[in-house]
């Protein structure tokens, strides 16, 4: 037992392990991990492998939207980190398709669960991330009805 303990203590820990309270550690998203966990619980019961004819992935993204913002037809086989990266692109980035059409970002309010869950809305309204700033205009309405 003592040898196992000494061995365990002598193994260096990765640098990121030094900050277990980092709220962005799991998904590396624009918003804190708790936001994406809550969104997944609301949209799909937290099932990151969720798949229906219309929606894909743990965040319940419409398949056509997923296809527009990623290089695949569904989130099947994609990790939660990859799904969050696509979700953040949908919410916060615009891009030009090869055919020249512009695809506009929808903001974090685009998910149905966000509109009805004050616990999710607080992450948007309290965020200091520059990509979230333009979407905080809805926060005045959210707090007015509390």
């Amino acid at each position: 037992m003592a040898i196992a303990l000494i061995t365990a203590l002598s193994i260096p820990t990765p640098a990121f392990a030094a900050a277990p309270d980092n709220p962005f550690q799991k998904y590396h998203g624009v918003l804190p991990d708790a936001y994406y966990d809550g969104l997944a619980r609301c949209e799909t019961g937290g099932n990151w492998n969720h798949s229906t004819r219309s929606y894909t992935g743990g965040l319940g993204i419409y398949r056509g939207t997923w296809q527009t913002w990623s290089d695949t037809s569904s989130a099947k086989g994609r990790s939660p980190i990859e799904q969050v990266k696509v979700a953040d692109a949908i919410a916060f980035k615009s891009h030009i398709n090869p055919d020249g059409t512009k695809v506009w970002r929808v903001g974090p309010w685009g998910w149905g669960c966000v509109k009805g869950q004050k616990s999710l809305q607080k992450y948007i309204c309290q965020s200091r991330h520059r990509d979230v700033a333009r979407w905080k205009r809805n926060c005045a309405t959210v707090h007015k009805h509390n």
Side-chain angles (χ1 to χ4, degrees), residues 41-57:
R41 271 192 308 278
C42 181
E43 291 286 345
T44 65
N47 177 5
W48 288 95
N49 295 312
H50 177 79
S51 181
T52 67
R53 291 176 69 184
S54 300
Y55 296 93
T56 187

Side-chain angles (χ1 to χ4, degrees), residues 56-71:
T56 187
L59 303 173
I61 298 171
Y62 179 70
R63 283 182 179 274
T65 304
W66 177 272
Q67 216 166 354
T68 299
W69 289 94
S70 74
D71 58 353

Side-chain angles (χ1 to χ4, degrees), residues 13-141:
T13 57
F16 64 83
D21 58 346
N22 179 353
F24 300 91
Q25 183 172 317
K26 191 176 1 175
Y27 303 122
H28 312 288
V30 170
L31 293 163
D33 295 339
Y35 169 81
Y36 301 103
D37 287 335
L39 185 59
R41 271 192 308 278
C42 181
E43 291 286 345
T44 65
N47 177 5
W48 288 95
N49 295 312
H50 177 79
S51 181
T52 67
R53 291 176 69 184
S54 300
Y55 296 93
T56 187
L59 303 173
I61 298 171
Y62 179 70
R63 283 182 179 274
T65 304
W66 177 272
Q67 216 166 354
T68 299
W69 289 94
S70 74
D71 58 353
T72 61
S73 61
S74 77
K76 183 176 182 174
R78 301 294 181 184
S79 71
I81 291 172
E82 292 170 305
Q83 293 181 45
V84 165
K85 185 176 180 180
V86 172
D88 281 350
I90 292 166
F92 303 112
K93 307 290 181 197
S94 295
H95 74 271
I96 305 292
N97 282 331
D99 68 1
T101 59
K102 179 139 178 142
V103 179
W104 295 97
R105 59 191 177 246
V106 300
W109 303 96
W111 276 262
C113 280
V114 173
K115 294 173 187 165
Q117 300 261 337
K118 291 190 185 335
S119 60
L120 293 174
Q121 295 167 4
K122 76 174 181 176
Y123 294 110
I124 298 164
C125 296
Q126 294 173 357
S127 175
R128 293 183 180 174
H129 195 284
R130 63 180 167 76
D131 289 345
V132 180
R134 79 180 306 255
W135 301 102
K136 291 175 120 182
R137 66 181 179 271
N138 291 335
C139 291
T141 307

Side-chain angles (χ1 to χ4, degrees), residues 1-7:
M1 171 110 167
I3 293 174
L5 180 59
I6 291 169
T7 304

